[in-house]
Amino acid sequence: MGTLMKADFYKLKKSRSWFVCIVVAFVIGVIMSVLYYMAWKMVGNNVEFTRTLMESLGSDEKTINDMLMVVPDNNSWAYISTALADTNVLYITAIVISIFVSSEYSMGTIKNSVSRGCPRTAVYFSKLIFSLAAMVTVVVSYLLGSGMVGCILFGFSAKISAGQILLTLAGYIVQFAAAGSVFVMIAVLMRKTGYAVAFSIVIPMLITSLLQVAAISVNNSNLFSRFWLFLSITSTQNFCLNGEAYVPFLVGTAYLVLSALVGIIVFRRQELK
């Protein structure tokens, strides 16, 4: 296992796509925070008009409040929390993980590891560990970009307690790890880099869109956010502040375990060429 991890560490360190995505994540974090600030200014100045308009269109009170909460408030934590909840960074990490894992198939290195007698389960977990490590660096870069804008505008500030911030961050960490595990599973299933990248981005977006439409039709926006990981992430802070902190932890743990099990089972049965 140690030899596998050293090899994966070296490969990740030499990965150009990883470094490019770190830079891209930072830039997008800055851009999104600036856009959020502009939106906050507009909504902040016209919040009553926005609420009245949405009520006239038939939106319920919870939907209106959820929409207004997406726009950051005038404190730096709001920008960090919004950046974590918007899931943009997840699709950047999907690219990094898909390339990191699936390129092993095209280069034949994953077959070489197995041929040398390395247990397939150990090979899979090594890929998973360094995929999550790559994800962490990209997410941190994104948050630095977002948080920098918030700190420049408002300094180090928050409207919730330190305990609530730590609980919310823990919820995000568990769910992001689960998303990373899902991307690894997809990469193993697809094998080819192009397919892995496409499926890792398109499938979560498609399912999320379908579930959002379904939630509107049943007039319950929380119904699917409790079961679908990529919707649960967007509601993490709401869950933690409303006494339902167990939701992101249970959802994240379930997806992490299940995706890892599926990935290992598939990988153990794959014919490596």
Side-chain angles (χ1 to χ4, degrees):
M1 186 70 176
T3 303
L4 285 172
M5 294 184 69
K6 287 181 182 178
D8 283 335
F9 173 74
Y10 180 79
K11 181 192 172 185
L12 181 62
K13 187 173 67 172
K14 294 293 183 180
S15 173
R16 291 183 180 180
S17 61
W18 178 45
F19 285 106
V20 169
C21 286
I22 287 175
V23 174
V24 169
F26 180 83
V27 173
I28 292 179
V30 172
I31 293 173
M32 292 303 298
S33 286
V34 171
L35 293 176
Y36 283 135
Y37 176 70
M38 294 170 62
W40 175 78
K41 293 291 289 183
M42 293 175 62
V43 173
N45 293 331
N46 302 280
V47 63
E48 291 305 322
F49 171 77
T50 303
R51 182 179 293 276
T52 302
L53 177 62
M54 293 185 69
E55 288 176 348
S56 67
L57 294 175
S59 299
D60 59 89
E61 184 68 19
K62 186 178 185 311
T63 300
I64 296 172
N65 290 335
D66 288 346
M67 178 270 179
L68 294 176
M69 286 181 67
V70 169
V71 183
D73 204 346
N74 56 343
N75 63 88
S76 55
W77 165 251
Y79 283 79
I80 295 173
S81 178
T82 302
L84 286 166
D86 65 17
T87 70
N88 287 319
V89 70
L90 279 180
Y91 301 115
I92 302 176
T93 61
I95 296 173
V96 175
I97 293 174
S98 298
I99 294 174
F100 177 68
V101 176
S102 59
S103 62
E104 295 275 357
Y105 287 93
S106 59
M107 293 188 299
T109 50
I110 200 163
K111 179 182 179 181
N112 293 338
S113 297
V114 174
S115 299
R116 289 196 298 266
C118 298
R120 292 199 178 205
T121 301
V123 173
Y124 188 92
F125 272 111
S126 180
K127 305 301 177 194
L128 177 60
I129 290 169
F130 282 97
S131 292
L132 296 183
M135 171 180 249
V136 168
T137 57
V138 174
V139 171
V140 169
S141 179
Y142 187 71
L143 294 183
L144 287 176
S146 301
M148 182 182 71
V149 174
C151 289
I152 290 174
L153 292 171
F154 307 112
F156 294 99
S157 56
K159 290 189 175 180
I160 62 176
S161 68
Q164 290 172 320
I165 289 176
L166 291 175
L167 180 63
T168 302
L169 284 174
Y172 279 122
I173 289 171
V174 172
Q175 291 178 107
F176 272 67
S181 181
V182 170
F183 295 145
V184 172
M185 178 193 70
I186 293 174
V188 168
L189 289 171
M190 296 296 104
R191 301 193 193 190
K192 294 184 178 181
T193 302
Y195 290 155
V197 172
F199 275 81
S200 294
I201 294 175
V202 173
I203 289 180
M205 292 179 66
L206 178 61
I207 295 176
T208 298
S209 298
L210 291 174
L211 291 180
Q212 286 176 330
V213 172
I216 293 173
S217 66
V218 299
N219 198 28
N220 189 343
S221 59
N222 272 343
L223 177 63
F224 299 107
S225 65
R226 294 174 180 273
F227 303 104
W228 177 238
L229 175 64
F230 295 89
L231 278 175
S232 176
I233 290 174
T234 64
S235 303
T236 298
Q237 179 162 283
N238 289 342
F239 285 132
C240 292
L241 297 183
N242 295 332
E244 297 180 298
Y246 62 89
V247 174
F249 290 96
L250 288 178
V251 170
T253 301
Y255 276 86
L256 178 62
V257 172
L258 289 175
S259 59
L261 285 175
V262 172
I264 290 171
I265 291 171
V266 171
F267 183 61
R268 287 173 64 89
R269 297 180 178 181
Q270 278 179 343
E271 180 181 353
L272 302 177
K273 299 180 181 179

